[in-house]
């Protein structure tokens, strides 16, 4: 009998799934998968205070800096159908002690659910309506604060207060438009400090900061479109000038499904650039699960009858070398062996790059049964930890058949039952569908299980808040102050003849209002200005981090200064890095540090003939442009700021064409 | 008449009628702000008549301004019905028998997701559905005595409750729980401490500061603590059982006559004043803090004294109070007054004639302190001596609300003022204590280094 090779099985199943790297995939591949994706973009608003209390918004503490701690537990509440929501039950099974770390400066009794909400922050509501109007949405007549249950403890009440501001709407992508489902205003959640075994710790500084959530229809059909939609929503949010920027101020949840698959939500993607890889891999993970389902249904006639077999390990494994199991034995934990009938080849079945079906089990054991990873070994490990003798004994203990797979996990006695349930539940789901779940994004572009996806049943009215009417007059007053919308912005950039590789930078930094002022007031060439930002400034920021106090408006002042001093604008790009680092420095001093001296145009041009003279004496090059380059190179330091370089270049060329020195 | 427009009125009803739309109708709405789709929900009667509430498919509710509506069409109908699942409360041989009386507070409840109304869970089956852990603690029976909000509890309810408890004790119950709204929980606890004397079993009043439709509710844990105390504790007193800290850690058992709600919304709002709580309680055990309390007994000898005179008042003194307040009490036939005075128990001079008048008419006035902590001391200043000579009786360290309940109870049984005085000044259930322990008054001030250090270490 040929020995089972998990590595080879992994490769062959990867082929069966049809996995290709993203760089080798094209639109057709995604079409074949039936790839569909929608976005939920979370964006913090730049308000002074939190959404439902008067704590300052946007102040963050070190995760380990706190004044007090308190402990809570979350209990599921009955849904309107008289049942418990799936997520609710899962979270309840995990039996987590939730600790909140509180800092007096940023947290009050509202945050920890010891005081009812104060009236909604009107500043936040105004910003949300403004952005809703930018998305061309239908604004609601009355805002109804709704409670959305979260039992993971990330919000001490156990629910997030949220309300719909507008529905429908549209955003422009390069090749199509994407429709918007809704925009809601809501309070941000706690930041997680740690989550180990039965203890989860949060800090409450971020809790309650107002944010908006923009939800698109699942109309993006390739990973790149998803990222593009994310960028456009970010541009629109930022164009309002009313949103926070910086780490964590904007986060995305990405929904992905394929033909025959299920909507799976990848949560908390903090960088737009991660989206393509994550969605690509999720699509193939779902394809892999569908392949597994197909394979299992071929092998198992009656899935209702299928049952894993669990046994406590009763043979001696004391000379095992594997640290986690040694530690478990030292702790007096239980070692449980499990036989999965007909699961041979499934545990090492490819699902994501470097991840298999066994990872799905391991992930759920960590989240639901609170078993820290590594929490199991199995019969298809690439590096087995049980020796031949132990494997034989395990086989006998479990009465394993040729087509079965085996798992061994270790856990404290009180967690064993939940762990068994979790394994059986996940294996059974493999017969049915791609499980409805939320997954956590990892930096390598893969995902791990986070929790069961909650249903619509977790929404209910907030009895602590009255509805808030939104009158036509109020909406109109906001509409009158709106920035130009994105489609118009794109048209304007084209009209200004700005190269398209500058667009993302300009829109992301919301520089158009500033550019408009510079062009209008200072009559600067728009194309030059566009590249000053989109190429020069972007290049500089890629290398140095602007100091505190740097503001793009300084560029307006700089250009204005140069114009008044009658200095050519070419020198601006040399000044920018210094301004970035020393925003307080006077422009005069910056010019000094660049050793700028004022020369009359004629003085500079006069030098051309003597330089050409010198060049002919030292020249060895046969390159016809050598003279032009050498002369320009020598003149640039004194020319910069005194004569447009292009004009100087034209003069030099003309001079040389006319035969040089006469 | 059945309200088929469930809370809608005025302009909103007109619009619904105009387009022939029912509440629970699945509708398409055209408005000047764009189109909306959803189910028409009932509306709270207190809200305006300018909006119609829709539940969107995403589960969110939104309001539509009726002035913007240009067309409405009903394309379906989805009425919702609610019921709390009932599971039979399992009987376990050998567990203590506990009776839960309901007064109308929603200790366990569920929210009607669409209207926002709170549906109380009360039958043992419903409670078991919501808090299954109760079945591990006791065999539970329930009885709904009334359905009133805490602030509407009154003499009629106090008397009925005392009598019902007396009957249960005679019938051999092991412990009593009373589910009660928290606003006047300590008032009821005080009056029951006087109406039910010499109880052989624990009588526990419990409520919740966060309703049980919230995942972070304190209701389930309070109920478990109360059940544990009722079923297993050795403390045969009338007690309030509520959160110790705001953390989900342990509950406190407070003497019914020394407890007070001290914060409008905190979970740990109930505090024992001028003493320590009797015990802490967790799901595992009861740990006594005080040593002298009435112990559980096997006999059924309880004294029920269900008396209450409604013509008693509690007067909160303020500077420049005028005597007309007291004259109007006299004119309205009040038979007894408790004053919450300033400092050691003082009121201003202008009241003196009115106070003398009360003495003449045989209306007893008892003095308590607004400071809550500490004793009335009327010998320290001349004012106090004057007041006593005009007939004011110092009520030691009885809390103002407790003195009010006790005087109502005393006057309910006799008009003999000497007898009333004896009842008032003889401690029945630690309503007056002979001494105040040093740790009976601890209100820490935040910001002080040693306090901050303590708070950082010990869960709030």
């Amino acid at each position: 009998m040929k020995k089972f090779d998990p590595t080879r099985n992994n490769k062959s199943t990867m082929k069966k799934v049809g996995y290709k790297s993203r760089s080798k995939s094209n639109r057709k591949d995604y079409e074949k998968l039936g790839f569909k994706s929608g976005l939920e973009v979370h964006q913090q608003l730049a308000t002074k205070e939190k959404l439902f209390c008067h704590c300052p918004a946007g102040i963050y503490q070190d995760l380990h800096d706190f004044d007090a701690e308190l402990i809570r537990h979350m209990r599921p509440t009955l849904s309107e159908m008289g049942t418990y929501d799936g997520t609710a039950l899962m979270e309840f099974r995990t039996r987590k002690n939730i600790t909140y770390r509180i800092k007096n400066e940023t947290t009050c009794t509202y945050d920890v659910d010891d005081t009812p909400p104060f009236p909604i922050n009107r500043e936040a509501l105004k910003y949300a309506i403004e952005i809703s109007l930018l998305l061309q949405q239908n604004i609601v007549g009355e805002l109804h604060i709704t409670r959305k249950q979260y039992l993971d403890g990330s919000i001490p009440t156990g629910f997030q207060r949220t309300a719909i501001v507008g529905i429908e709407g549209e955003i422009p992508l390069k090749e199509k438009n994407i429709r918007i489902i809704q925009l809601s205003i809501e309070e941000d959640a706690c930041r997680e400090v740690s989550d180990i075994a039965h203890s989860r710790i949060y800090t409450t500084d971020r809790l309650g900061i107002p944010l908006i959530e923009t939800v698109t229809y699942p109309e993006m059909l390739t990973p790149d479109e998803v990222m593009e939609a994310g960028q456009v929503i970010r541009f629109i949010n930022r164009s309002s000038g009313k949103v926070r920027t910086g780490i964590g101020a904007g986060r995305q949840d990405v929904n992905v499904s394929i033909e025959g698959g299920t909507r799976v939500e990848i949560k908390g993607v903090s960088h737009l650039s991660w989206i393509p890889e994550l969605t690509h891999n999720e699509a193939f993970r779902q394809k892999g699960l569908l392949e597994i389902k197909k394979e299992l249904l071929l092998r198992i006639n009656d899935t209702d009858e299928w049952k894993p077999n669990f046994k406590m390990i009763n043979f001696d494994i004391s000379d095992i070398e594997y640290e986690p199991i040694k530690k478990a034995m030292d702790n007096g934990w239980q070692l449980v062996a499990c036989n999965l009938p007909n699961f041979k080849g499934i545990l090492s079945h490819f699902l994501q790059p470097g991840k298999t079906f066994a990872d799905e089990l391991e992930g759920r054991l960590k989240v639901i049964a609170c078993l820290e990873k590594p929490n199991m070994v199995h019969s298809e490990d690439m590096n087995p930890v049980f020796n031949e003798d132990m494997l034989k004994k395990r086989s006998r203990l479990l009465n394993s058949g040729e087509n079965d797979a085996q798992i061994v996990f270790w856990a404290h006695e009180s967690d064993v039952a939940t762990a068994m349930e979790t394994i059986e539940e996940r294996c059974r789901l493999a017969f049915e569908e791609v499980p409805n779940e939320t997954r956590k994004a990892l930096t390598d572009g893969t995902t791990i299980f986070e929790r069961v996806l909650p249903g619509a049943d977790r929404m209910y009215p907030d009895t602590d808040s009255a509805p808030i009417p939104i009158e036509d007059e109020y909406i109109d007053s906001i509409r009158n102050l709106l920035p130009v919308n994105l489609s118009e912005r794109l048209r304007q950039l084209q009209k200004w003849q700005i190269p398209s590789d500058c667009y993302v930078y300009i829109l992301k930094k919301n520089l158009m209002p500033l550019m408009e002022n510079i062009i209008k007031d200072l009559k600067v060439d728009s194309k030059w200005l566009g590249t000053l930002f989109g190429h020069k400034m972007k290049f500089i920021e890629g290398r140095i981090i602007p100091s505190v106090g740097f503001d793009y408006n300084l560029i307006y002042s700089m250009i204005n200064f140069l114009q008044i001093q009658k200095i050519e604008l070419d020198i601006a790009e040399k000044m920018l890095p210094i301004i970035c680092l020393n925003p307080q420095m006077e422009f005069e001093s910056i010019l000094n540090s660049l050793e700028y001296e004022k020369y009359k145009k004629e003085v500079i041009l006069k030098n051309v003939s003597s330089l050409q003279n010198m060049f002919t004496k030292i020249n060895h090059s046969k390159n016809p442009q050598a003279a032009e380059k050498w002369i320009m190179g020598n003149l640039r330091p004194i020319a910069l700021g005194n004569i447009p370089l292009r004009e100087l270049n034209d003069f030099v060329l003309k001079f040389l064409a006319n035969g040089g020195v006469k | 008449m059945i309200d088929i427009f469930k809370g809608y009125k005025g302009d909103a009803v007109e619009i619904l009628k105009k387009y022939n739309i029912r509440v629970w109708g699945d509708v398409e709405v055209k408005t000047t702000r764009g189109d909306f789709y959803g189910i028409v929900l009932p509306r709270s009667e207190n809200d305006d008549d300018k909006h119609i509430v829709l539940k969107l498919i995403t589960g969110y509710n939104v309001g539509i301004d009726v002035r913007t509506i240009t067309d409405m069409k009903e394309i379906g109908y989805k009425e919702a019905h609610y019921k709390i699942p009932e599971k039979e409360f399992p009987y376990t041989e050998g567990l203590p028998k506990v009776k839960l009386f309901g007064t109308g507070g929603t200790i366990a409840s569920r929210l009607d997701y669409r209207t926002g109304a709170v549906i109380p869970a009360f039958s043992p089956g419903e409670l078991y559905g919501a808090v299954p852990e109760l079945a591990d603690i006791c065999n539970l029976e329930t009885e709904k005595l009334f359905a009133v909000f805490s602030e509407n509890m009154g003499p009629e309810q106090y008397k009925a409750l005392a009598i019902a408890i007396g009957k249960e004790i005679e019938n051999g119950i092991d412990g009593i729980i009373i589910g009660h709204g928290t606003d006047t929980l300590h008032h009821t606890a005080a009056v029951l401490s006087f109406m039910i004397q010499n109880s052989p079993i624990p009588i526990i009043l419990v409520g919740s500061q966060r309703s049980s439709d919230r995942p972070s509710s304190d209701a389930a844990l309070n109920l478990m603590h109360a059940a544990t105390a009722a079923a297993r504790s050795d403390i045969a007193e009338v007690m309030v059982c509520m959160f110790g800290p705001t953390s989900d850690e342990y509950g406190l058992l407070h003497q019914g006559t020394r407890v007070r709600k001290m914060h409008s919304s905190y979970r740990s709002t109930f505090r024992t004043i001028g003493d320590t709580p009797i015990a802490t309680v967790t799901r595992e055990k009861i740990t006594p803090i005080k040593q002298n309390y009435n112990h559980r007994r096997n006999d059924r000898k309880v004294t029920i004294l269900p008396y209450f005179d409604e013509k008693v008042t509690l007067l909160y003194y303020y500077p420049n109070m005028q005597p007309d307040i007291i004259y109007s009490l006299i004119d309205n036939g009040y038979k007894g007054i408790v004053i919450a005075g300033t400092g050691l128990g003082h009121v201003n001079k202008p009241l003196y004639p009115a106070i003398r008048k009360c003495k003449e008419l045989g209306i007893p006035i008892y003095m308590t302190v607004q400071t809550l902590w500490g004793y009335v001391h009327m010998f320290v200043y001349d004012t106090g001596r004057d007041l006593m000579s005009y007939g004011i009786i110092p009520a030691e360290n009885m809390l103002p609300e407790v003195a009010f309940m006790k005087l109502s109870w005393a006057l309910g049984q006799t008009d003999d003022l000497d007898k009333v005085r004896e009842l008032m000044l003889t401690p029945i259930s630690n309503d007056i204590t002979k001494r105040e322990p040093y740790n009976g008054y601890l209100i820490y001030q935040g910001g002080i280094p040693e306090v901050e250090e303590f708070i950082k270490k010990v869960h709030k």
Side-chain angles (χ1 to χ4, degrees), chain A residues 214-445:
Chain A
T214 310
V215 184
T216 76
Y217 279 92
E219 293 177 346
M220 285 81 87
L221 303 179
T222 68
D224 287 327
E225 274 183 13
V226 191
M227 180 166 81
E228 194 192 345
Q231 273 168 343
V232 170
I233 292 172
R234 180 171 289 189
F235 296 157
I236 291 173
N237 287 342
R238 291 197 176 172
S239 73
S240 73
K242 308 288 168 51
V243 301
R244 286 187 192 281
T245 52
I247 297 165
R251 311 186 295 274
Q252 284 72 226
D253 295 345
V254 191
N255 295 311
V256 180
S257 70
I258 64 163
E259 182 74 40
T262 308
R263 179 171 84 95
V264 166
E265 185 176 320
I266 306 169
K267 278 204 102 77
V269 182
S270 45
H271 296 279
L272 288 169
S273 58
W274 294 355
I275 289 178
E277 197 66 23
L278 285 165
T279 51
H280 172 88
N281 285 335
E282 175 54 27
F284 280 103
R285 191 186 69 93
Q286 296 197 17
K287 183 81 188 337
L289 288 171
L290 294 177
E291 286 295 332
I292 288 177
K293 174 184 169 183
K294 211 163 35 174
E295 175 67 29
L296 287 173
L297 293 185
L298 278 179
R299 294 184 197 176
I300 303 165
N301 290 329
D302 186 354
T303 52
D304 287 345
E305 289 291 304
W306 184 91
K307 199 136 187 68
N309 177 21
F310 293 98
K311 285 268 159 53
M312 299 298 152
I313 285 192
N314 60 357
F315 48 87
D316 181 24
I317 54 165
S318 54
D319 51 351
I320 204 159
E321 283 300 316
Y322 187 60
E323 268 311 312
I325 291 186
K326 272 164 70 178
K327 216 173 116 197
M329 288 193 294
D330 288 346
N331 290 336
W333 286 9
Q334 294 189 344
L335 266 90
V336 184
C338 165
N339 190 61
L340 303 172
N342 282 308
F343 263 59
K344 186 179 187 175
I346 302 298
L347 295 182
S348 56
H349 194 289
F350 172 88
L351 286 179
Q352 305 180 70
K355 289 199 166 65
T356 66
F357 187 76
D359 291 289
E360 303 271 315
L361 292 171
E362 195 182 38
R364 284 191 177 226
L365 282 178
K366 153 84 177 105
V367 175
I368 302 174
C370 300
L371 308 186
E372 287 306 306
K373 288 194 219 175
N375 49 33
M376 57 175 249
V377 294
H378 58 88
S379 51
E380 298 177 13
D381 273 321
M382 314 281 170
N383 305 304
V385 304
F386 278 42
N387 62 31
E388 284 299 322
D389 179 53
M390 292 176 193
L391 289 178
K392 257 185 222 149
K393 283 178 177 154
R394 185 174 74 184
S395 237
R396 215 174 307 138
L397 171 71
L398 293 168
N399 202 12
S400 303
E402 168 58 23
N403 287 319
D404 302 348
Q406 292 81 34
I407 291 173
V408 171
F409 71 86
W410 46 93
H412 184 268
E413 195 187 340
S414 57
D415 292 324
V416 168
T418 311
M420 290 184 188
E421 276 169 38
T422 304
I423 290 172
E424 174 164 359
E425 183 178 67
R426 181 63 191 92
C427 290
R428 286 192 163 280
L429 281 170
F431 307 143
E432 289 162 22
E433 58 188 1
V434 175
N436 231 222
E437 58 195 31
T438 66
R439 300 184 62 85
K440 196 176 186 165
L442 301 182
T443 46
D444 68 357

Side-chain angles (χ1 to χ4, degrees), chain B residues 78-98:
Chain B
K78 287 176 186 159
E79 182 165 356
H81 296 281
Y82 311 100
K83 201 178 169 327
I84 293 177
E86 252 189 86
K87 287 185 197 160
E88 202 182 332
F89 198 97
Y91 179 82
T92 312
E93 192 65 47
L95 283 186
K97 220 165 72 179
V98 169

Side-chain angles (χ1 to χ4, degrees), chain A residues 114-171:
Chain A
D114 268 325
T115 288
F118 297 91
I120 196 167
N121 181 335
R122 287 284 170 166
E123 186 190 11
L125 182 57
K126 189 174 163 214
Y127 295 171
I129 292 175
E130 183 174 329
I131 293 168
S132 179
L133 286 170
L134 286 175
L135 294 168
Q136 298 157 44
Q137 291 200 298
N138 310 342
I139 308 281
V140 301
E142 201 178 46
L143 198 77
H144 282 246
I145 315 285
T146 303
R147 298 175 179 177
K148 189 195 239 176
Q149 280 201 6
Y150 281 98
L151 294 168
D152 58 359
S154 57
I155 303 183
T157 44
F159 53 76
Q160 179 184 44
R161 289 193 165 90
T162 162
I164 296 288
V165 175
I167 64 160
E168 300 300 322
E170 211 171 55
I171 54 162

Side-chain angles (χ1 to χ4, degrees), chain B residues 148-154 158 180-185 187-188:
Chain B
V148 294
F149 285 120
S150 158
E151 61 270 26
N152 296 329
M153 286 289 286
Y158 301 146
H180 199 294
T182 55
D183 278 10
T184 65
L185 186 66
H187 297 83
T188 304

